[in-house]
Amino acid sequence: MIVIKEAERTYHLGDEDIHALDGLSLEIKKGEFIALVGPSGSGKSTLMNVIGALDSLDSGSISVDGQDLSKLSDSGKAMYRRKKVGFVFQTFNLQARLTALENVELPLMLDGIPRKKRRDLALEALSKVHLSDRVRHVPSELSGGQQQRVAIARAIVNRPEILLADEPTGNLDSKSGEQIMKLLKSLNEQEQVTIVMVTHNEDHAAFAHRVLHMLDGNISHTRNGRKKEVYG
Amino acid sequence: MKFYDLLATSFRNLFRQKARTVLTVISMMIGAFLIAIMMSVGNGLKQFMVSQVTLFANTSTIAVQANVDFAQAFGMSLGGGVAEFEEESPQVQDPAGEGQNDSVNGVPDFLSEAFLDQEDLEKLQEIDGVSEAAFETYVTPDYIRLAEDESPKLLISMYGVPSGIRDRVKFSSVDRALLERDDAIVLSDSYAEAWNMDREDLVGETVLVRMTQTGDTGVSGMGMGMTGNIPSDAGEQEGPGEPLRQEFELVVAGLFEKSIFSQISFITPQQSDILRAFVSGQELSEFSEEEQAFEIIVVAEDDDQVDAVDRRIEDLGYQSSTFDEAVGQIGVVFDILGVALSGFGAIAMLVASIGIANTLLMAIYERTREIGVMKAVGATRSTIGLLFTMEAAWLGIIGGTVGLLFTKLFGDAVNFILHEGISIGSATLLEGFLADYPTFDVSVFSIGIVLLVLGVTAGVAIVAGLYPAWRASRLDPVVALSR
Ligand SMILES: Nc1ncnc2c1ncn2[C@@H]1O[C@H](COP(=O)(O)OP(=O)(O)OP(=O)(O)O)[C@@H](O)[C@H]1O
Ligand SMILES: [Mg+2]
């Protein structure tokens, strides 16, 4: 359970104060699939970074399963990111020199898991994203959709409770985007992974339980997702 | 992150910008090479000098001199100041304790204070743990020749030394039984060459040394080679006519490995007395009684007692130095030389460290997004910092290793060329300067050098990597990911 109260995050650009998060409060239940929509600059990515403990609040609070994130040390935050959350980015952010398998192994390596075990876990994660036949390929040998699936495998290899996906389909064609969405949906349904996803795509937002509209650093309104046709 | 994974990952990162890595390694390598080559040459020269000292002394011997401040005696003073006059300025201590004020043999007073005499010799011989003691003396014959053949050779000096020194010379050939004899002589093995004989054949041969009576009393050695020829006060020998000459028979008991001192030899103190008595024109008994020298060589009963004996000698008011002290002094000189020359290496190392810092700062710039991703998937600041520090260490260690490899190859090549010369077919392009000194290498590589150079290169590289590592660890992941 993610609880955010009165979250403020202000950036200072010269004389100007940019309120990226402006008094935002939000609760996300375990196993929920949330879509964040809204205009550019409305604070969607900032909210994601705060939930992932990559960024911290100026005021207000955020706690995850009762743990106040602002109370975590640097290594505590690193541990939290390693164990509790997985990140998926619009631009995939795979390491170009490493094979799909090695990319997926990276979080496990940072976690100090022995070679053999991390190989097994990474292969398992890659099979979940249907890439068992591409594990020795480097990113440049993979399509955009395949690269994003490697990134998802990397995000879930540590079996995190929360998956943070910032425009995961933003750089993909509609067919690949659709595949990624189905993958996220099955992760949410079969593994009860809490998903927070930013998207500009209405169809993709419809995969979520709740769609949060953001404007000027706050949630302007909320509506239910899950159109019948998607789940039919 | 596991240590092994840190090592492996930072090592892999070296291959991302190969050209840059190679250039950085080369600059480190040059520094390592300069330091290592200076040290191994220093080592070589030190070993050579030590091997020379070893001819005259070993771990059981102590060189004893009177406690005289020669610098002061000769009017030298550190700092160039002038001492105050004192009416009853005390005399320099006379170790013999005789308070003899008159000059000996017309030698200035302060010099006579520097002599050790029969009484000193007896005192030293009686010290606990001393097996023998003898004046360090040497005498120069006109020539040395084989008994049955006329080919006189020059012999610069014959040192009268106790058996404790004679027995432990580094022999290339020896007959231990002959070594016990009073008329034994130990020569450099270059005499075997000079007489065209096998070393083994020369040992046991009878040789003749010719002495000329000059009326000089015994020549006293002052340390190695330094000498004062002291005119006798019975100086009437310089009469007209042919000086008195005589050949003395000696037996070659052993040959020592050729060194820079190839024209010296060792005889017994007894033989030295006989020869010098002849030169001075005195009776042996009379000569021995009045014998004096700058230095007495004391031999301890065994090596373990040397330090204790050394202390006892100093307690009696003498100046003494053990083999270790003598070698230590030589060592210090060469160590200082080595360090000074390594300065060039240090400068190269400094340049290399700037190169490393630069390389890593560029790497941070190139890897900003990647560092952001690493943090997003759970890397701590210290993991990122360690990765960069280790990458720096790798650059240093690889540079150091390659530098050491070059040092070894270069040193071996130089040693080989200096021993063997360079020749193509039968044409000699370069003489082997060291052909006569088979056991001397100019460059002597050692584990110590390897450890020191690797330590220094890794250390310097790590220090150079600290700032980039700190910068990388501090990168804000949000900013890094948005790049
Ligand atoms: N590091 C930063 N420094 C200064 N301003 C920032 C920084 N990061 C974000 N901002 C500002 O904060 C506001 C919110 O940014 P954010 O990235 O959260 O928007 P977003 O909703 O994700 O937009 P988009 O849909 O374009 O990704 C924007 O005005 C942005 O310019
Ligand atoms: Mg954004």
Side-chain angles (χ1 to χ4, degrees), chain A residues 14-50:
Chain A
D15 293 341
E16 202 185 349
D17 282 356
I18 301 166
H19 299 279
L21 294 180
D22 196 2
L24 181 145
S25 294
L26 172 68
E27 280 190 19
I28 299 172
K29 288 191 206 56
K30 215 178 170 79
E32 244 191 314
F33 192 153
I34 302 284
L36 288 177
V37 298
S40 185
S42 57
K44 304 184 295 293
S45 297
T46 304
L47 178 57
M48 300 285 273
N49 290 336
V50 166

Side-chain angles (χ1 to χ4, degrees), chain A residues 27-203:
Chain A
E27 280 190 19
I28 299 172
K29 288 191 206 56
K30 215 178 170 79
E32 244 191 314
F33 192 153
I34 302 284
L36 288 177
V37 298
S40 185
S42 57
K44 304 184 295 293
S45 297
T46 304
L47 178 57
M48 300 285 273
N49 290 336
V50 166
I51 296 172
L54 285 177
D55 204 349
S56 48
L57 296 173
D58 296 321
S59 71
S61 69
I62 172 163
S63 69
V64 176
D65 292 341
Q67 169 68 58
D68 185 344
L69 295 191
S70 68
K71 299 242 159 67
L72 290 173
S73 63
D74 171 69
S75 60
K77 283 179 183 159
M79 175 86 85
Y80 165 78
R81 291 194 289 264
R82 220 148 59 208
K83 302 275 192 203
K84 277 233 151 138
V85 297
F87 279 96
V88 177
F89 307 94
Q90 177 175 359
T91 51
F92 323 139
N93 281 335
L94 298 175
Q95 304 220 18
R97 302 158 300 121
L98 302 183
T99 63
L101 185 62
E102 288 164 339
N103 266 291
V104 177
E105 277 185 45
L106 186 62
L108 301 170
M109 186 165 88
L110 291 169
D111 208 19
I113 290 169
R115 258 162 186 275
K116 176 79 179 69
K117 180 148 185 240
R118 64 185 194 231
R119 186 122 306 190
D120 293 345
L121 289 171
L123 285 171
E124 192 189 325
L126 281 162
S127 86
K128 280 187 196 161
V129 299
H130 316 297
L131 273 180
S132 296
D133 54 342
R134 294 283 192 278
V135 297
R136 301 279 169 204
H137 292 238
V138 290
S140 60
E141 295 163 355
L142 297 170
S143 72
Q146 287 170 334
Q147 287 184 57
Q148 194 60 302
R149 282 191 274 154
V150 173
I152 290 171
R154 181 179 65 189
I156 62 170
V157 71
N158 267 336
R159 302 182 172 278
E161 286 173 25
I162 304 162
L163 190 68
L164 300 169
D166 197 344
E167 301 189 43
T169 59
N171 276 17
L172 300 177
D173 61 75
S174 57
K175 187 159 166 283
S176 309
E178 194 81 5
Q179 282 178 344
I180 295 297
M181 288 316 300
K182 285 186 173 144
L183 194 59
L184 293 180
K185 180 176 159 248
S186 77
L187 283 172
N188 175 246
E189 284 177 352
Q190 270 144 49
E191 322 231 342
Q192 281 75 51
V193 180
T194 309
I195 297 180
V196 183
M197 176 188 75
V198 174
T199 185
H200 288 290
N201 184 314
E202 271 303 317
D203 294 339

Side-chain angles (χ1 to χ4, degrees), chain B residues 119-130 133 312 316:
Chain B
E119 200 175 320
D120 297 308
L121 187 66
E122 279 158 25
K123 258 205 232 168
L124 291 168
Q125 275 165 336
E126 275 158 23
I127 290 175
D128 229 15
V130 170
R312 282 171 211 143
L316 289 176

Side-chain angles (χ1 to χ4, degrees), chain B residues 72 83-93 101 109:
Chain B
Q72 203 191 355
E84 294 297 321
F85 170 76
E86 283 170 53
E87 194 59 64
E88 264 171 277
S89 126
Q91 287 290 313
V92 192
Q93 190 201 342
N101 280 337
D109 217 23

